[in-house]
Amino acid sequence: MRDQTGREIDYMRISITDRCNLRCKYCMPDGIQCMPRWEILSLEELEAIAVCAADLGIRKIKVTGGEPLVRRDCPQLVRMLKNVPGIEKVTLTTNGVLLEQYLGELLNAGLDAVNISLDTLDPGLYETITGADALDKVLGIISRADRLPIPVKVNAVSIDFDNWKDGKERDKNGWRAMAALAEQYPVDVRFIEMMPIGYGKQFQGIDHRTLLLQLKEMYPDLETDHEVHGFGPAVYYKSQRFKGSIGLISAIHGKFCSSCNRVRLTAQGYLKNCLCYEDGVDLKQVLREEISRPEKESHFIWPEGLDVRDEGLQSRLRTVMEKTILKKPMAHCFETPGRITESHNMSSIGG
């Protein structure tokens, strides 16, 4: 499917929970309120949306959160998504803390790749950022990247720790240590510019134009890597010293809206066509039409006997999804914060 500007939309990021086992200060700090369980989509609802999305031309799905692995049925969902005709790739973004526990199930389910979110290699700063002493668990997985049957990427938000009061000047120029992971392991290390959304607005990010110059000083032979690494907007670079590569996702200082191919689904079922704006459609209303919320708090239970491929249901989903995707904005406005209409935190939108 193409949107109103002619861009082909073939990639959907699906958040399956707004909960997380970490409390990163720029995303989901202590005290944040999570949605009631009833508001979170069931596996069947997610499958029904994926079936419709595939019919509309979505070919790649990224499973996100919150932290998707706090939802114990995540591997089951991966298997369900892989079985949807038309879906070619299903990948996962995780903080890595629970990845060792679920890795076997995820691989058996057919997971195609994994992205691990990690902003620093400094143990003290990691605990300050996340509220947890879990860095060793995450590094344990990364260190095994050459023995895993799927590609591994490491996502680091480009936070300016030098000017962060909670950083206490630890990890000065810590991006250098993060970049060096590409020397040690066959992983793509991707630096992501901080999005001025939710709690992220309180943190100063690193300008990727400056970061690229510094990377070139660190690796004089650094050159653009034209090999396809996935289906996102990262620009990749390679050096003879690398076993992997370095990627820059520069939404602010390297705007890539003209080639944007993605839409997002929140864990509550809201289909967003751009991270910057609140525009979208509530698919949960379509999925739960004429279904009353129970008095007792509980998970939503899919109606017995209802097929996720039911023609009537799929027709209703297609009508609203097609209309929303078609209206995808031409570009975001992160460079002019006063025009941003998205007011939710990233944990509730989906990373």
Side-chain angles (χ1 to χ4, degrees), residues 30-47:
D30 281 326
I32 196 169
Q33 295 295 312
C34 294
M35 297 296 295
R37 291 180 297 169
W38 172 265
E39 299 295 337
I40 305 299
L41 295 189
S42 67
L43 294 187
E44 294 87 355
E45 289 174 302
L46 293 167
E47 183 184 15

Side-chain angles (χ1 to χ4, degrees), residues 79-127:
R79 187 181 301 278
M80 293 165 73
L81 295 175
K82 286 287 292 184
N83 287 330
V84 173
I87 298 301
E88 299 170 358
K89 298 286 185 180
V90 178
T91 61
L92 177 79
T93 292
T94 170
N95 60 37
V97 176
L98 297 174
L99 187 53
E100 182 67 49
Q101 178 180 340
Y102 289 103
L103 184 59
E105 291 181 61
L106 290 166
L107 293 175
N108 289 335
L111 186 71
D112 292 296
V114 64
N115 293 9
I116 299 174
S117 300
L118 178 64
D119 301 324
T120 178
L121 299 184
D122 181 303
L125 185 54
Y126 177 90
E127 187 168 354

